Each structure stands twice: as structure tokens, then as C-alpha cells.
Amino acid sequence: MHCGYSHGVTANADVERLLPLPPITFHILLSLLDGERHGYAIIQDVGERTGGELQLSAGSLYRSIARMVEQTLIVEVAKRHAPGDDERRRYYKITPFGTAVARAEMRRLAELVRLARKSGLTPETA
Amino acid sequence: MTRFYRALLRLYPERFREEYGDELCRAFVERTRGRSRLATVAAAIGDVVPNAIAAHWDILRHGSGAGLTWPAFSGDIRYALRQIARAPLLSGVIIAVIAIGIGINAGLLTILDTYVWQPAPGIPRDRSLVRLSATVVEQKGRAHATRLSYPDILDLRARHNAFADVAAWRLTSRDVDMGGGAETMLVSFATSNFFRVLQLPLAAGSGFDDDRDRSSRPIAVISYSHWMTTFGGSPDAIGKTIRVSNQPFTIVGVAPPRFVGIDIRDMDKSMIWLPLGTEEIVEPNAAKDRVDRGAAMFSTFARLAPGVSPAGVARLTSVVAAQLARPRPDNLVRLSIAAEPLTGVAPGDSNRTELVAGFLLIAALIVVITCTNVSALLLGRAAVRRREIGVRLALGATRRRLMRQMLTESLVLAVAGAALALVLYVIVIKVAYANVPELIWGLQAQPSTFAFAGLFALVTTLAFGLAPALHATSADIGDVMKNSGNHAISRSRLQRAFVVVQLACSQPVLVVTSLVLADLRHTANANADQAPASVVTMSARNFRSTPVSDLGEVRRRLAAMPGVRSVGVTTMGYPRPDPRVSTRFGPSTSFDVPGVRGAQRDVHVRQRYVDSGYFATVGVPLLRGRSIGVNDDHEGSVSVVVNDAAAKTFWPGENPIGKLLLRHSSDVEGVEATSLHVIGVVATAAYDADSAATVFAPLSTAASQWESTIALRTSGDARTYVPSIRAAVREADPFVAIDGVITLAEQYAGQQREAVQSNAAAFAVGAAALVLASLGLYAVIAFAVAQRTREIGIRLAMGATRGVVVRQFFRNGIVASAIGLAIGLPLTVAGIRVVQANMLGFTLQHVAAVLVVVPVLVSVAALASWLPARRAGRVDPVIALRTE
């Protein structure tokens, strides 16, 4: 099992093994880059970020979260500090390994876009 | 609403639910805040169901993916596998029984599905496509199916509230020359909208003009296989000229691949499609028929108007039907139109209902046999394991838990059986394709069919596994642990009851199955190999406008061919009528002997018309008197020849030569009696197994030679003469189309092959059913006896001799089977009655086939009682006492 907290020396293979990321996983990682969030906040954030394109259901969110916790891309935050917030809520934050995987996925996507451009493809319909 | 969502969460794997259940609820509530109740329910279902399935799938795929496990159920499965491995023989039998049951059912359903329930190959499944069938009811109340005339079709087309469009076709066979010599093909004269109504995109070309059948431009659509074989699939084929009955036609289209017409009956034949407007190019009287409501010769299908159901068609067309009936002859009072899905077999097609009912009946019977067997076997297993179950109950297992365990075992067995059946099913279809492709043309392994059969098996196995599971887990712990004698007795009673029930069920089931199969059987002809290769026969159709024109010129031309030794012509149908009597609808003919009137009226006697050369040409030997000579063959002749079967029917033990025979030709308007004079008796040809009573009248007395059979005897192999025969017929009379030019040797060999193949198939199904029942019966009895090894040990220890013990078990087994058979007898008799009432041609031979069933069942029961008892009797009493 890989270690999610080993900076820099994280085995490249561990990162590569998870690529390409399922889109939902990538969106959840992006959402948590801003800071810790609870489940419903992630749903809202992903919705706003994508302009309403991606409306996660509770089931698909927690199925992804369960898998991402297992993969140590994210961890549950032990206790909540913000005052007035519901104490029973479970918050999640991204791990350094999660950040590394998100970066790698971004590089992969960027490379893909570069290749597409090179082939003369433009997003605009001609 | 949260409670509803929470209840749904039970669908998730347990660990996942415990870990995230609260969070899921909270997120769901916030997510659906402000939505209507209905929308929330829909969202809850849409959220949970797919995700729960996916979560279970994750576990199955990754073992313990996403921190989830599935411990309880996988434990059950592992335990079930261990239990199955502990009793390999019994488990093997259960799996085999399930596999055979599913396999036969899947096979039967596949055949029905491909041939009866689906549209013919190449036609898309489309609920709005319907076949229209018409029924006429005559004044006397007799109803019969009829085709439709062209004016009828125009009327139906005008019913825009019922039909978006109506198309029709009729088949005829013609010589078609695509450049490589003439070949007999089916010609489908189709309305110009034929392909458009089917919404079939042509593989090439633009097809018929949409001219509502007005144009007589000679154009044709050819089949995909002709396009490939004759034109190499080249687009240049469009615009090429082919000859139909020696008339030029231009190819304007190629039918899509696999499309072979609307009826699968014709799918092994070559076919081309010509527009209806071109009929008169090859059939001079076609134009007249097109305006005649009496010329009902079109098969019809339609695309329903949007929103119309097939059931609604009868109502929407009732007015049309009344209109259609009016201009017809007075004896027609009503005509009704019905619509049903456009399947590959027409509803009026002979045997369809019988075939479907027979197949479904057999399928249902197989299910019954399978279920009784599986249930009995599972009960046997459950009975053995009462002690094990008692121990588990004593150790604190809940009954619920044990039930789940038992049902899991049933499920594992059912899945194994279904998997084995799937393998067999695929292999059988593959092997069949490799060896007898012509037999299973178009038959496709249907995943859906198999899935249905498999699912059905799973459900029934679980349902039938429930009773044994309940029985096993209802054990009283103390009783079981003590293993008291009381219980042993009740168990043996229960198992004997099962033997009785098993036999009572299998007997009627097997008897009815073999009856139905016997009915589907074909009689094989033992003398088929004597059919001569030097005789060639062909059917000839005369498309001249005069209804009574004969084949005179064709016959003369063929007789003059070098190498041809004799020519004979025969036809069936009704006698040339007295002009006073209308024969529009074809009279029925019956015979009787003056003086014994009434006695033989009901005997079915066939009538054929033959010319003077026929008997000698096909090799029918003359037994007495003389044959029909050239001088007998004229209109009004009363000389007839009978075959020996007819002679025995009419004049048993007498010389029929010189006797009188009365022929009654009756139709709706009256009866015409003709006195005929018997001049000779013929035997049945050596190669022919058909010995139906037949009266042969001179050819010239037939009402029409519209469709006749021409036979030629040649020197040497007749096959080599076929091209010159075709050429001679074409030259002699372009309006005569010949079809099926084949030597008698080929024809009988083909019939023989078909009979053998279909008999083999029927035999295989029957044998499989018998094996299935025997297997179950043997396992149940043998198991019951083996279970009493301890009892046998006690008896031996008490001083009983082995012989006495074995004999007693044997006797018990026989008594139980006799009781079972006796109980099943009323059911069997009822089954035979039902089959008898619904089956034509039910004979004593069929009953004889049935008699095989009972001795086999009794032998199996006897063997199953004797073998294990003998084995138990051989065991040392001390060891026997220690068993269990």
C-alpha cells in the first residue's frame, strides 16, 4: 500500500496507477484544494464550478468519497472548528498525495490538449 | 421523506451504509430541499438504486473495494460450495437436471422465437407493422381464411384512420435469367410501396417508383445474395437487364442483406421482386384480375396509423369489411379483417398454432419435470442434513440465517446448472451450424431467450428450494440431536411420499410429452432408395388466360427430345364441371359405390388426373385390367383406374374391374354425381411409402391443368437433361413456368433426410425428458434407501438375512412406484384425452409409443430400490450402525 503523506518521494507509479481519474474524482479533488469541506458543500461547489453541468447525487458522491479515502487521496478531518457549524458533519481534506494525483491528471489533460492543438484542432466550430 | 430514503439505503452494502448512511441522508435532504414530494421520491430512487448496484459491483470486482466488504454472503457461498463438494454425486445430479431442463427449454424457445415470434430475417421489429388477415363467413356460417383482392387493398388503403399505408404481394414462380442461364425463382409481385412500408433501406438502387402500381415499366429488385453471387456486389448491377419468363426487366434495386421476403417459409428459395404493374408482361390475364374482387390472391401487411393498436383494426375496418363483402357473390355474407404483428410465419399458415402449442406444452412439461426432480433432490439433501442443522441451531444459529444458507445453496446449484446449460446450448448450436446448416437456417442463439430460460430456472429453483429449506430448519433440536427412532420413521415416510408424488407427476408428463412428439414425427420411407435417378419431375404452371388450356405443346416437345423415353402428366384438383354448376370456390369431391351407399362416404379417397404416359413414366405397376390409354383421355370420359388401397376400400375381396364408382362433386350450389367405370388397378410405386386410396381419372377430365406435374423417363441419369428440358419448355410455351426440376432419386432422398432429421430431433427431446425423469427418480429412491443404511444395519444385527432385507426394500420400492403410477393414472388418461381432442391423426401407434414410458419408470424405480439396498446389505452391521 502506498503512503499518502510522503512528499516528493511519492512513488510516481502510485500516482500514475490512478490515472486517468474519473471526472467526479477530479472535481472533488479540485473542490477540496480550496480547503476542507463537508459532503453537501462539495456537491454545491462542484455544481457552481461547472456552471450547473455536474450535479452530483448523494449516492455517487459518497461512493466516490469512500473510494478516495481508501486510495488516500482525501482524509476525514478529525474535528470541526468553525463556530456555529453542525458538529455531526464529516469534513474532508485533500492529502499531499491527492494534490500530486490532481497535478498529474492536470498534466495529462494539458498534454492531451496540446496534442489536439498540434493536430490543428480548435475548440471553435469552423 | 428521510425515512423513505433511509429505507432505500438498505440496498447498499452493509458496511457502506453504516459508514456513510447519516451523511448520505443529510446530503440528500439538502440536495432535494424545496422539491415536490414526487420529485423527491424519484430523486431518491434514481440516486440509490444505480449507486447501490455499483457499490455491490465494486465489492465483487475488487473484493473489498472502497473499504467495503461483503462478508456474510460470500461466506454463505463458500459454505454452499463446500456442502456441494461433500455430496458430489447428488449435487452433480441436481446440476445435470437443471442444465437439461434449461437447455431443452432454451432450445425450444429459440426455435419458436426465430421462426414464429420474430419478423422474418432483415425486417426490423416494429410494433406498427402488422400482417392483415381476412376471414370470410359464408351464408352457411362456415368461416375460412382468405387472401385479399386488389380492389380490397385499395379500400383498406383509404382507411387513413387505421393505416398509414397498406402493401401487398403475391408469389409465383418463374424462370429468371440473370445472364447465367434460366433458373426457377420465386417472383414476388409487390405493390410499389412494398419496401417503403417495411421501411427497408435498399442495399443499392432506388427501388420501385412510387406510382401506386400504375406503371408497367419492366423493373425488378433482386436479392442481396444474387447481387453478391451474380454481380459481385458491384453498383453496376443497377441498370442491367435480366429476363423473367424470357421478358426483359431492368434491375433498379437490391434488397438489404438477409431479407428473404415476409414469410420465412420461402427463405431457402431464390426470390426477386417485381412491381405489381408489370404482372401482365408475364401473365396475360393479370389486368382483369386487378379489378376483380373475386381474385383474392394477395397477402397483405400494413403500417398502422399513429396511435392505432392491432386490436383496434377490426373496429376501424368493419365498415370496409362490409363494403368489401357486398360486391362479392351472394354466398358471402361477411368479411372481417384482423391485424397481428408481422412475424415470419403467417397466422393462417398450416400447423402454426399446433406447432406453437406443442412446443409450449413440451416446454412447460419439461419445467414441471425439472422442478419436481429438483425439489425432491433438495428435500433429500435437507433430510440428510437435519442433524447438521440441529447442531447449528443448538449452537445458536438463527433459523433465518439457516434458511438463507439453504437458499444460497439452491442458488449456487441453479447458477451452476444454468452455466452448464449455457455451454451446452452454445455448443449444440455451433455443432448444428457446422454439420446441418440447412436444417437450422436462420436459427440464432438468442441471448434474450437463454436469459429468460435461465432466469426462469433460478426463480423456480429458489421457489422449489424453499420447501425443503423450511422443512430442514423446522427440526426440533432435541429430537434431531438425539436422532430418535421416531424421526427416522417420519423421514422415511416423507421420502416415500416423495417417490409417490414424483411418479404420479412424471407419468402423465412423460406420456403427454411423447404423444405430442409422436405427432410431430414424420413417417420415414423405407423404400426411398429405390426411387429412380432416370426419372425427373417438375411442376408446371400454365399462365395462359384460358383456364382450360393444356400442356399439349410442351408435352409434345418434351417427348420429342433425344434420350427421353416417355412423358407423363398428372394434376390434382376437381373434375371439369357441368357448365350449369358454378365451381368458383372449388367443390369437394367424394366417392361411393352404388348399392352400398353411405357405407364408404366418409372414407378419404384422393383423386388424381393422369395422362396415358404417366404410370409407365413414374414406374407405377399395373396389377389388373388396363391402364388409361390415349382413347380414354378425352373430355367426358368415365374410365378410371384405382390403386389397390382404393380397391380394398370399395370392393374388399372382389375384382374391381368393370365395377361402377359414383363421384359426387359438391359445392355451395349443389351436388353433381358422375358414374365412373373402373378399367384397371395399379399398385403403389416401389419407392413410394404413400399408399392412400386414390382414384386416377383421365387428365382431360380435370377442370384445369393450371398447375400440373410433368414426369420424364430418360435413358441414363435424368439430371443431365435438366438444362435442355428448361429450354424446350420455354420454347414450346413462354406462358408455362416450370419449377422444382428434380429427379425422383433426389426428391425421395431429400424427403428421407428431412424425415430422419426431424425424427431425430423429436427423439432427442423425448429421450432427454425420459432421462431427466429417470435421473431424478433414481436419485430420490436411491438416496432414500441409502439413508436407511443404519436401519439395515440394525436389522442385520438382529438376525435378519441379507436376502430378506434387500427383498423388503425392493418390495417397498415397487409398492411405492405402483401407488405413484396409480395415482398418476387419472391424470395420464385426462392428458391423453386432451391431446386426442386437439390432435389430428391420433392413432394407436401413438399410444404404443406411450407404452414405453411406464415400463421405463417402473424399471428405474426397481433398480433404484434394489441397487442401494443390496449395497447396504453387504455392509458390515457394525459399520452400518455407525453411519450418520
Side-chain angles (χ1 to χ4, degrees), chain B residues 43-68:
Chain B
I45 295 171
D47 178 14
V48 174
V49 174
N51 280 307
I53 293 172
H56 281 286
W57 176 241
D58 285 347
I59 297 171
L60 274 179
R61 210 174 35 168
H62 303 300
S64 68
L68 313 166

mmCIF file of all heavy atoms in Angstrom, chain B residues 43-68:
data_model
loop_
_atom_site.group_PDB
_atom_site.id
_atom_site.type_symbol
_atom_site.label_atom_id
_atom_site.label_comp_id
_atom_site.label_asym_id
_atom_site.label_seq_id
_atom_site.Cartn_x
_atom_site.Cartn_y
_atom_site.Cartn_z
ATOM 1 N N ALA B 43 -36.069 11.275 -7.159
ATOM 2 C CA ALA B 43 -34.634 11.531 -6.977
ATOM 3 C C ALA B 43 -34.034 10.466 -6.069
ATOM 4 O O ALA B 43 -32.922 9.982 -6.321
ATOM 5 C CB ALA B 43 -34.420 12.917 -6.391
ATOM 6 N N ALA B 44 -34.776 10.069 -5.012
ATOM 7 C CA ALA B 44 -34.257 9.075 -4.065
ATOM 8 C C ALA B 44 -34.000 7.752 -4.780
ATOM 9 O O ALA B 44 -32.929 7.157 -4.654
ATOM 10 C CB ALA B 44 -35.259 8.873 -2.927
ATOM 11 N N ILE B 45 -34.996 7.337 -5.571
ATOM 12 C CA ILE B 45 -34.841 6.056 -6.278
ATOM 13 C C ILE B 45 -33.709 6.156 -7.297
ATOM 14 O O ILE B 45 -32.841 5.288 -7.389
ATOM 15 C CB ILE B 45 -36.164 5.651 -6.958
ATOM 16 C CG1 ILE B 45 -37.217 5.380 -5.880
ATOM 17 C CG2 ILE B 45 -35.976 4.433 -7.844
ATOM 18 C CD1 ILE B 45 -38.610 5.174 -6.398
ATOM 19 N N GLY B 46 -33.714 7.273 -8.040
ATOM 20 C CA GLY B 46 -32.694 7.467 -9.069
ATOM 21 C C GLY B 46 -31.301 7.556 -8.475
ATOM 22 O O GLY B 46 -30.314 7.218 -9.121
ATOM 23 N N ASP B 47 -31.207 8.007 -7.226
ATOM 24 C CA ASP B 47 -29.904 8.126 -6.571
ATOM 25 C C ASP B 47 -29.453 6.776 -6.040
ATOM 26 O O ASP B 47 -28.354 6.314 -6.330
ATOM 27 C CB ASP B 47 -30.023 9.155 -5.430
ATOM 28 C CG ASP B 47 -28.718 9.304 -4.656
ATOM 29 O OD1 ASP B 47 -27.677 8.825 -5.161
ATOM 30 O OD2 ASP B 47 -28.736 9.892 -3.567
ATOM 31 N N VAL B 48 -30.338 6.119 -5.280
ATOM 32 C CA VAL B 48 -29.899 4.927 -4.544
ATOM 33 C C VAL B 48 -29.724 3.712 -5.440
ATOM 34 O O VAL B 48 -28.687 3.039 -5.379
ATOM 35 C CB VAL B 48 -30.885 4.612 -3.397
ATOM 36 C CG1 VAL B 48 -30.493 3.299 -2.731
ATOM 37 C CG2 VAL B 48 -30.890 5.742 -2.390
ATOM 38 N N VAL B 49 -30.727 3.437 -6.284
ATOM 39 C CA VAL B 49 -30.693 2.152 -6.996
ATOM 40 C C VAL B 49 -29.412 1.972 -7.829
ATOM 41 O O VAL B 49 -28.673 1.011 -7.620
ATOM 42 C CB VAL B 49 -31.979 1.959 -7.831
ATOM 43 C CG1 VAL B 49 -31.870 0.709 -8.681
ATOM 44 C CG2 VAL B 49 -33.185 1.867 -6.906
ATOM 45 N N PRO B 50 -29.090 2.889 -8.751
ATOM 46 C CA PRO B 50 -27.873 2.653 -9.541
ATOM 47 C C PRO B 50 -26.602 2.656 -8.699
ATOM 48 O O PRO B 50 -25.704 1.838 -8.917
ATOM 49 C CB PRO B 50 -27.861 3.795 -10.559
ATOM 50 C CG PRO B 50 -28.847 4.789 -10.083
ATOM 51 C CD PRO B 50 -29.800 4.104 -9.168
ATOM 52 N N ASN B 51 -26.549 3.539 -7.692
ATOM 53 C CA ASN B 51 -25.329 3.602 -6.883
ATOM 54 C C ASN B 51 -25.165 2.376 -6.000
ATOM 55 O O ASN B 51 -24.041 1.921 -5.771
ATOM 56 C CB ASN B 51 -25.329 4.875 -6.036
ATOM 57 C CG ASN B 51 -24.893 6.074 -6.863
ATOM 58 O OD1 ASN B 51 -23.841 6.046 -7.487
ATOM 59 N ND2 ASN B 51 -25.730 7.104 -6.917
ATOM 60 N N ALA B 52 -26.291 1.854 -5.503
ATOM 61 C CA ALA B 52 -26.203 0.650 -4.671
ATOM 62 C C ALA B 52 -25.705 -0.518 -5.507
ATOM 63 O O ALA B 52 -24.840 -1.279 -5.076
ATOM 64 C CB ALA B 52 -27.559 0.319 -4.068
ATOM 65 N N ILE B 53 -26.242 -0.634 -6.731
ATOM 66 C CA ILE B 53 -25.785 -1.713 -7.613
ATOM 67 C C ILE B 53 -24.293 -1.549 -7.875
ATOM 68 O O ILE B 53 -23.514 -2.492 -7.770
ATOM 69 C CB ILE B 53 -26.577 -1.700 -8.937
ATOM 70 C CG1 ILE B 53 -28.036 -2.072 -8.659
ATOM 71 C CG2 ILE B 53 -25.962 -2.669 -9.941
ATOM 72 C CD1 ILE B 53 -28.956 -1.912 -9.843
ATOM 73 N N ALA B 54 -23.882 -0.291 -8.160
ATOM 74 C CA ALA B 54 -22.471 -0.029 -8.451
ATOM 75 C C ALA B 54 -21.609 -0.362 -7.238
ATOM 76 O O ALA B 54 -20.517 -0.911 -7.385
ATOM 77 C CB ALA B 54 -22.281 1.427 -8.861
ATOM 78 N N ALA B 55 -22.107 -0.056 -6.026
ATOM 79 C CA ALA B 55 -21.318 -0.328 -4.824
ATOM 80 C C ALA B 55 -21.126 -1.827 -4.641
ATOM 81 O O ALA B 55 -20.032 -2.293 -4.317
ATOM 82 C CB ALA B 55 -22.002 0.278 -3.603
ATOM 83 N N HIS B 56 -22.210 -2.603 -4.869
ATOM 84 C CA HIS B 56 -22.073 -4.057 -4.777
ATOM 85 C C HIS B 56 -21.102 -4.571 -5.830
ATOM 86 O O HIS B 56 -20.293 -5.454 -5.569
ATOM 87 C CB HIS B 56 -23.438 -4.727 -4.977
ATOM 88 C CG HIS B 56 -24.299 -4.690 -3.752
ATOM 89 N ND1 HIS B 56 -24.074 -5.486 -2.673
ATOM 90 C CD2 HIS B 56 -25.364 -3.920 -3.444
ATOM 91 C CE1 HIS B 56 -24.978 -5.233 -1.740
ATOM 92 N NE2 HIS B 56 -25.777 -4.277 -2.184
ATOM 93 N N TRP B 57 -21.205 -3.988 -7.008
ATOM 94 C CA TRP B 57 -20.331 -4.390 -8.116
ATOM 95 C C TRP B 57 -18.872 -4.113 -7.754
ATOM 96 O O TRP B 57 -17.991 -4.936 -7.992
ATOM 97 C CB TRP B 57 -20.754 -3.655 -9.377
ATOM 98 C CG TRP B 57 -19.868 -3.922 -10.558
ATOM 99 C CD1 TRP B 57 -19.138 -3.018 -11.254
ATOM 100 C CD2 TRP B 57 -19.638 -5.189 -11.183
ATOM 101 N NE1 TRP B 57 -18.462 -3.622 -12.263
ATOM 102 C CE2 TRP B 57 -18.750 -4.963 -12.247
ATOM 103 C CE3 TRP B 57 -20.081 -6.476 -10.944
ATOM 104 C CZ2 TRP B 57 -18.298 -5.981 -13.066
ATOM 105 C CZ3 TRP B 57 -19.633 -7.504 -11.770
ATOM 106 C CH2 TRP B 57 -18.758 -7.247 -12.816
ATOM 107 N N ASP B 58 -18.620 -2.928 -7.121
ATOM 108 C CA ASP B 58 -17.263 -2.588 -6.687
ATOM 109 C C ASP B 58 -16.703 -3.689 -5.797
ATOM 110 O O ASP B 58 -15.554 -4.112 -5.942
ATOM 111 C CB ASP B 58 -17.274 -1.285 -5.879
ATOM 112 C CG ASP B 58 -17.453 -0.063 -6.782
ATOM 113 O OD1 ASP B 58 -17.314 -0.242 -8.017
ATOM 114 O OD2 ASP B 58 -17.748 1.028 -6.268
ATOM 115 N N ILE B 59 -17.579 -4.163 -4.887
ATOM 116 C CA ILE B 59 -17.116 -5.187 -3.946
ATOM 117 C C ILE B 59 -16.802 -6.481 -4.686
ATOM 118 O O ILE B 59 -15.768 -7.100 -4.470
ATOM 119 C CB ILE B 59 -18.190 -5.458 -2.884
ATOM 120 C CG1 ILE B 59 -18.417 -4.196 -2.071
ATOM 121 C CG2 ILE B 59 -17.762 -6.591 -1.977
ATOM 122 C CD1 ILE B 59 -19.596 -4.304 -1.150
ATOM 123 N N LEU B 60 -17.700 -6.849 -5.575
ATOM 124 C CA LEU B 60 -17.486 -8.081 -6.328
ATOM 125 C C LEU B 60 -16.205 -8.008 -7.133
ATOM 126 O O LEU B 60 -15.444 -8.964 -7.218
ATOM 127 C CB LEU B 60 -18.659 -8.322 -7.294
ATOM 128 C CG LEU B 60 -19.871 -9.043 -6.722
ATOM 129 C CD1 LEU B 60 -20.915 -9.174 -7.805
ATOM 130 C CD2 LEU B 60 -19.472 -10.422 -6.208
ATOM 131 N N ARG B 61 -15.963 -6.842 -7.703
ATOM 132 C CA ARG B 61 -14.843 -6.701 -8.620
ATOM 133 C C ARG B 61 -13.524 -6.591 -7.872
ATOM 134 O O ARG B 61 -12.532 -7.187 -8.233
ATOM 135 C CB ARG B 61 -15.061 -5.483 -9.505
ATOM 136 C CG ARG B 61 -14.425 -5.623 -10.866
ATOM 137 C CD ARG B 61 -14.782 -4.470 -11.738
ATOM 138 N NE ARG B 61 -14.887 -3.250 -10.951
ATOM 139 C CZ ARG B 61 -14.971 -2.046 -11.499
ATOM 140 N NH1 ARG B 61 -14.945 -1.908 -12.794
ATOM 141 N NH2 ARG B 61 -15.073 -0.988 -10.746
ATOM 142 N N HIS B 62 -13.527 -5.808 -6.813
ATOM 143 C CA HIS B 62 -12.261 -5.547 -6.129
ATOM 144 C C HIS B 62 -12.117 -6.337 -4.850
ATOM 145 O O HIS B 62 -11.182 -6.152 -4.110
ATOM 146 C CB HIS B 62 -12.141 -4.063 -5.798
ATOM 147 C CG HIS B 62 -12.251 -3.194 -6.997
ATOM 148 N ND1 HIS B 62 -11.380 -3.284 -8.053
ATOM 149 C CD2 HIS B 62 -13.141 -2.239 -7.336
ATOM 150 C CE1 HIS B 62 -11.727 -2.415 -8.980
ATOM 151 N NE2 HIS B 62 -12.806 -1.775 -8.580
ATOM 152 N N GLY B 63 -13.086 -7.188 -4.569
ATOM 153 C CA GLY B 63 -13.033 -7.937 -3.313
ATOM 154 C C GLY B 63 -13.464 -7.043 -2.182
ATOM 155 O O GLY B 63 -14.558 -7.158 -1.672
ATOM 156 N N SER B 64 -12.646 -6.085 -1.826
ATOM 157 C CA SER B 64 -13.039 -5.212 -0.725
ATOM 158 C C SER B 64 -12.793 -3.773 -1.110
ATOM 159 O O SER B 64 -12.159 -3.024 -0.399
ATOM 160 C CB SER B 64 -12.266 -5.571 0.529
ATOM 161 O OG SER B 64 -10.909 -5.243 0.326
ATOM 162 N N GLY B 65 -13.253 -3.437 -2.272
ATOM 163 C CA GLY B 65 -13.023 -2.080 -2.768
ATOM 164 C C GLY B 65 -13.655 -1.045 -1.865
ATOM 165 O O GLY B 65 -14.663 -1.315 -1.221
ATOM 166 N N ALA B 66 -13.077 0.093 -1.812
ATOM 167 C CA ALA B 66 -13.643 1.242 -1.124
ATOM 168 C C ALA B 66 -13.966 0.932 0.330
ATOM 169 O O ALA B 66 -14.954 1.397 0.882
ATOM 170 C CB ALA B 66 -14.896 1.724 -1.839
ATOM 171 N N GLY B 67 -13.112 0.122 0.945
ATOM 172 C CA GLY B 67 -13.291 -0.154 2.365
ATOM 173 C C GLY B 67 -14.545 -0.938 2.658
ATOM 174 O O GLY B 67 -15.042 -0.940 3.782
ATOM 175 N N LEU B 68 -15.099 -1.577 1.669
ATOM 176 C CA LEU B 68 -16.353 -2.281 1.874
ATOM 177 C C LEU B 68 -16.098 -3.769 1.788
ATOM 178 O O LEU B 68 -15.246 -4.225 1.038
ATOM 179 C CB LEU B 68 -17.349 -1.895 0.787
ATOM 180 C CG LEU B 68 -17.456 -0.414 0.526
ATOM 181 C CD1 LEU B 68 -18.180 -0.191 -0.762
ATOM 182 C CD2 LEU B 68 -18.156 0.274 1.659
#
